Amino acid sequence: MAQNSLILITILVSFTVATASRHISATNSSTNLVSEVSDGVHYGHKGILTLSSSTNELELCDQTYGFMPCTTSVLGNLFLISVYGYLMFLAATYLSTGSELMLEILGPGIVGGLFLPILGALPDALLILVSGLSGSPETAQDQVSVGMGLLAGSTVMLLTVIWGSCIIIGKCDLQDSFAIDNQDTKGFNLVGSGVSTDIWTSYSAMTMAVSVLPFIVVQFPQILHSTSGRQLTVLIGLIISISLLIAYCIYQVYQPNIQKRRLAFAKHKHVRSGILRYLKTNAFGGLLDDQGQLNREVLYKLFNSVDVNGDGHLSQVELRSLVVGMQLNINLNEDDTIYKVMKEFDTSGDDEVDFEEFITGIGNWLEEARLTKTHSPIAGPDTTNYIHDYYEETKREHYLLGDEGGEDEEHEEGDRDPHQTTIKAVLFLLLGTLVAAIFADPLVDAVDGFSTATSIPSFFISFIVLPLVTNSSESVSAIIFASRKKQRSASLTFSELYGAATMNNLLCLSVFLALVYARGLTWDFTSEVLVILIVCIVMGVFGSLRTTFPLWTSLIAFVLYPLSLVLVYILDYVFGWS
């Protein structure tokens, strides 16, 4: 694939140089251009071919870098958009491939938390940068709408069209508000099928909603209908955006460790609730007496049923038999689980649990279970019905956190040579960055030329077309993960979409604000910002308040996309917002 892509790039670059048109200039001293071509024989008037044309009718185009092909026709610019867009697609693909290879070698941490999000947003950031970097401030002010169109279009497309498509592709049957992995028998049932994600995905959605704060800050002068202080608010917005970007990257770096600790705690909590349920099920009478105190006689019988060798103490081997016999159906590290259970019961430190320690430990667990779930006020003091509620809650908590030890991780090339993989990853990253840097500016010029030729505002072209190019890697990756129809893969899918939108709101906006501030451009994008705010806040709050998404939720996402376009058009061209 890489060799074919390199060949294609070479051909396209050669085409670019070979077809570069010559720049035609005209003097201002005459209203007509007269070209005389001699036939080599006659020198009189009849031997001269005279071409006359008004300079007002002569249309010229500016060549990017002085040699890139340019055109003023609709089809010509459309062709250039297709060519340059495909090259940017290749750049995004190379960056994505290189990032995944680097992640495979170095693991999550800094690579997954810092490099991957930045590299994923790099094509968008470069396109935004070049949209207002070249030319005079007046030209930059005109072209910067391409950057804003890309910024808004990329975010909106990820959270609407791609989000809704992933719901449809990844849908499974819903049972008790949870999606059942790999079971899709209800077809397109709007309430009976959907996807479930873990709690970390909800946190990602919440983070994405918060990331729109810089947009609100920079919009304050327009909200107050003030023309003063706009540059200052742009600077403040830039500082806030960069600060949030740094905070987000730091969080991403440490998030894997946070996830592991929370998951380990949730597993241990589920083991405790499982032991309580097991004891309640096998108790020869209630665990509590009529006064709500521990029933020592019943617990003594339970203790003896676990104490296989009858020595009056529970060893690690006997506790292991108890935990394994419960069949909790979760991925457990048995040694770690037994160690934690023993540590909670063994107050004497002799690595064994006697009956009194057993009584104390069970009493503490029952108290925690009682306080966790509110039980019926008419129930007697001897009731332990809350144990079932406690067990179901810990089971749900463990499910929502996700289990990183699942079997759906595929390592088809686990025996790769780290040295060769590193070289390959670096080459992909360098090539992707180089291609994106070279062809970002020509793509922006082609979009601007197409806008001029068709009289279609460049914002709408960049809003619809450019995200198809820059979001390609995230979209393909998200759809592939969603098609696996599992809770873990669905969580990865939507976390990636929320993460990409967050980087648009922070990294890409930082580049945009820096460009506006450095070049003294005018921040004049009220309607565009409103669209970003509506989509990010609606989808962010929606995604943070629930972990299961029935099929009908995809309709909300799909409707938001055309609604965004219509809203921008009405506000800009009907009400004249600016």
Side-chain angles (χ1 to χ4, degrees), residues 505-521:
N505 294 341
L506 297 179
L507 175 61
C508 295
L509 179 62
S510 296
V511 173
F512 195 91
L513 292 177
L515 187 67
V516 171
Y517 183 78
R519 301 217 62 187
L521 305 180

Side-chain angles (χ1 to χ4, degrees), residues 49-121:
L49 175 62
T50 302
L51 302 177
S52 178
S53 175
S54 171
T55 57
N56 294 329
E57 297 174 359
L58 185 62
E59 296 185 50
L60 303 177
C61 60
D62 294 325
Q63 297 173 309
T64 309
Y65 307 137
F67 65 86
M68 286 289 188
C70 63
T71 178
T72 57
S73 67
V74 174
L75 293 179
N77 278 296
L78 188 60
F79 173 74
L80 291 178
I81 290 175
S82 301
V83 173
Y84 295 142
Y86 180 71
L87 288 169
M88 291 298 292
F89 163 76
L90 288 179
T93 303
Y94 291 149
L95 290 171
S96 176
T97 303
S99 301
E100 291 174 1
L101 291 174
M102 194 66 73
L103 180 63
E104 180 182 315
I105 301 169
L106 302 179
I110 293 179
V111 175
L114 185 60
F115 291 154
L116 288 188
I118 292 177
L119 290 173

Side-chain angles (χ1 to χ4, degrees), residues 362-397:
I362 294 299
N364 292 335
W365 285 3
L366 285 173
E367 181 65 14
E368 178 183 333
R370 185 182 65 81
L371 295 176
T372 301
K373 205 71 176 178
T374 303
H375 52 284
S376 173
I378 64 173
D382 60 336
T383 182
T384 54
N385 292 334
Y386 54 82
I387 291 178
H388 174 74
D389 296 333
Y390 181 55
Y391 175 80
E392 291 299 326
E393 181 177 332
T394 58
K395 181 180 179 181
R396 174 182 173 83
E397 181 180 346

Side-chain angles (χ1 to χ4, degrees), residues 14-27:
S14 301
F15 162 80
T16 297
V17 176
T19 59
S21 58
R22 296 173 59 191
H23 183 72
I24 303 175
S25 60
T27 62

Side-chain angles (χ1 to χ4, degrees), residues 303 313 342 344-364:
F303 179 85
H313 295 83
M342 178 64 75
E344 289 195 56
F345 279 81
D346 181 24
T347 57
S348 63
D350 59 358
D351 205 27
E352 289 183 329
V353 179
D354 60 27
F355 179 64
E356 291 302 323
E357 290 174 329
F358 181 75
I359 284 284
T360 303
I362 294 299
N364 292 335

Side-chain angles (χ1 to χ4, degrees), residues 298-534:
V298 170
L299 288 174
Y300 185 72
K301 293 179 181 179
L302 290 171
F303 179 85
N304 288 332
S305 68
V306 180
D307 182 18
V308 179
N309 60 11
D311 64 351
H313 295 83
L314 300 182
S315 64
Q316 289 195 18
V317 175
E318 289 167 334
L319 287 176
R320 184 187 299 272
S321 300
L322 172 63
V323 172
V324 172
M326 292 187 303
Q327 298 181 346
L328 294 176
N329 295 322
I330 62 175
N331 182 39
L332 285 176
N333 182 327
E334 292 183 4
D335 292 335
D336 182 64
T337 300
I338 302 306
Y339 170 78
K340 289 179 178 178
V341 172
M342 178 64 75
K343 187 176 180 180
E344 289 195 56
F345 279 81
D346 181 24
T347 57
S348 63
D350 59 358
D351 205 27
E352 289 183 329
V353 179
D354 60 27
F355 179 64
E356 291 302 323
E357 290 174 329
F358 181 75
I359 284 284
T360 303
I362 294 299
N364 292 335
W365 285 3
L366 285 173
E367 181 65 14
E368 178 183 333
R370 185 182 65 81
L371 295 176
T372 301
K373 205 71 176 178
T374 303
H375 52 284
S376 173
I378 64 173
D382 60 336
T383 182
T384 54
N385 292 334
Y386 54 82
I387 291 178
H388 174 74
D389 296 333
Y390 181 55
Y391 175 80
E392 291 299 326
E393 181 177 332
T394 58
K395 181 180 179 181
R396 174 182 173 83
E397 181 180 346
H398 175 263
Y399 177 85
L400 291 178
L401 285 175
D403 192 341
E404 295 184 357
E407 70 282 354
D408 52 325
E409 292 290 343
E410 299 176 3
H411 300 284
E412 297 178 357
E413 300 181 43
D415 55 347
R416 289 180 179 176
D417 180 18
H419 180 67
Q420 292 183 356
T421 304
T422 302
I423 295 176
K424 192 174 181 180
V426 171
L427 289 176
F428 270 120
L429 292 176
L430 289 176
L431 182 59
T433 303
L434 181 64
V435 173
I438 292 176
F439 292 101
D441 199 9
L443 178 57
V444 171
D445 289 341
V447 169
D448 195 52
F450 184 79
S451 171
T452 302
T454 59
S455 298
I456 299 175
S458 57
F459 170 84
F460 291 101
I461 300 174
S462 56
F463 186 98
I464 298 172
V465 177
L466 294 188
L468 295 174
V469 175
T470 58
N471 287 340
S472 56
S473 58
E474 290 96 340
S475 302
V476 172
S477 176
I479 290 174
I480 290 175
F481 273 120
S483 65
R484 296 180 181 177
K485 295 183 179 294
K486 293 185 178 181
Q487 186 247 15
R488 175 169 169 77
S489 58
S491 300
L492 292 172
T493 294
F494 292 99
S495 293
E496 183 173 0
L497 294 180
Y498 295 139
T502 302
M503 291 304 292
N504 282 344
N505 294 341
L506 297 179
L507 175 61
C508 295
L509 179 62
S510 296
V511 173
F512 195 91
L513 292 177
L515 187 67
V516 171
Y517 183 78
R519 301 217 62 187
L521 305 180
T522 303
W523 179 268
D524 208 12
F525 307 102
T526 302
S527 57
E528 293 85 346
V529 168
L530 181 60
V531 165
I532 295 175
L533 291 178
I534 291 175

Side-chain angles (χ1 to χ4, degrees), residues 33-48:
L33 293 178
V34 179
S35 298
E36 297 184 350
V37 181
S38 172
D39 60 4
V41 178
H42 302 283
Y43 294 91
H45 179 72
K46 293 183 179 180
I48 300 295

Side-chain angles (χ1 to χ4, degrees), residues 14-316:
S14 301
F15 162 80
T16 297
V17 176
T19 59
S21 58
R22 296 173 59 191
H23 183 72
I24 303 175
S25 60
T27 62
N28 296 328
S29 59
S30 175
T31 58
N32 291 328
L33 293 178
V34 179
S35 298
E36 297 184 350
V37 181
S38 172
D39 60 4
V41 178
H42 302 283
Y43 294 91
H45 179 72
K46 293 183 179 180
I48 300 295
L49 175 62
T50 302
L51 302 177
S52 178
S53 175
S54 171
T55 57
N56 294 329
E57 297 174 359
L58 185 62
E59 296 185 50
L60 303 177
C61 60
D62 294 325
Q63 297 173 309
T64 309
Y65 307 137
F67 65 86
M68 286 289 188
C70 63
T71 178
T72 57
S73 67
V74 174
L75 293 179
N77 278 296
L78 188 60
F79 173 74
L80 291 178
I81 290 175
S82 301
V83 173
Y84 295 142
Y86 180 71
L87 288 169
M88 291 298 292
F89 163 76
L90 288 179
T93 303
Y94 291 149
L95 290 171
S96 176
T97 303
S99 301
E100 291 174 1
L101 291 174
M102 194 66 73
L103 180 63
E104 180 182 315
I105 301 169
L106 302 179
I110 293 179
V111 175
L114 185 60
F115 291 154
L116 288 188
I118 292 177
L119 290 173
L122 185 59
D124 296 63
L126 286 174
L127 284 169
I128 291 172
L129 181 63
V130 301
S131 68
L133 195 60
S134 60
S136 64
E138 292 75 17
T139 303
Q141 185 68 52
D142 180 60
Q143 284 195 340
V144 82
S145 61
V146 175
M148 176 51 72
L150 172 61
L151 179 58
S154 178
T155 300
V156 171
M157 177 173 287
L158 286 171
L159 299 178
T160 57
V161 177
I162 306 302
W163 194 96
S165 299
C166 289
I167 293 288
I168 295 177
I169 294 173
K171 67 181 178 64
C172 297
D173 295 345
L174 296 182
Q175 181 176 328
D176 297 328
S177 298
F178 288 106
I180 304 175
D181 288 353
N182 292 321
Q183 181 175 318
D184 185 15
T185 61
K186 297 182 179 180
F188 290 91
N189 190 317
L190 293 179
V191 295
S193 61
V195 301
S196 291
T197 61
D198 57 29
I199 195 66
W200 300 105
T201 308
S202 297
Y203 295 158
S204 298
M206 191 182 308
T207 302
M208 186 264 296
V210 173
S211 68
V212 301
L213 179 62
F215 283 104
I216 300 176
V217 171
V218 79
Q219 202 63 31
F220 267 126
Q222 282 83 352
I223 296 175
L224 301 176
H225 301 288
S226 173
T227 57
S228 61
R230 293 197 174 190
Q231 284 295 96
L232 178 60
T233 54
V234 168
L235 179 60
I236 295 174
L238 175 60
I239 294 173
I240 294 176
S241 182
I242 293 177
S243 301
L244 290 177
L245 175 62
I246 295 173
Y248 177 71
C249 290
I250 293 175
Y251 170 72
Q252 288 293 94
V253 169
Y254 290 101
Q255 186 190 38
N257 293 328
I258 298 174
Q259 288 183 354
K260 288 178 181 178
R261 287 197 296 269
R262 285 199 59 180
L263 182 60
F265 178 77
K267 283 184 178 181
H268 181 59
K269 192 175 179 182
H270 190 44
V271 169
R272 288 187 296 185
S273 67
I275 292 177
L276 288 178
R277 190 186 69 154
Y278 178 84
L279 295 178
K280 179 177 182 294
T281 303
N282 293 275
F284 305 100
L287 295 177
L288 303 178
D289 58 24
D290 294 339
Q291 286 73 41
Q293 302 298 317
L294 291 174
N295 193 327
R296 296 178 64 90
E297 180 180 352
V298 170
L299 288 174
Y300 185 72
K301 293 179 181 179
L302 290 171
F303 179 85
N304 288 332
S305 68
V306 180
D307 182 18
V308 179
N309 60 11
D311 64 351
H313 295 83
L314 300 182
S315 64
Q316 289 195 18

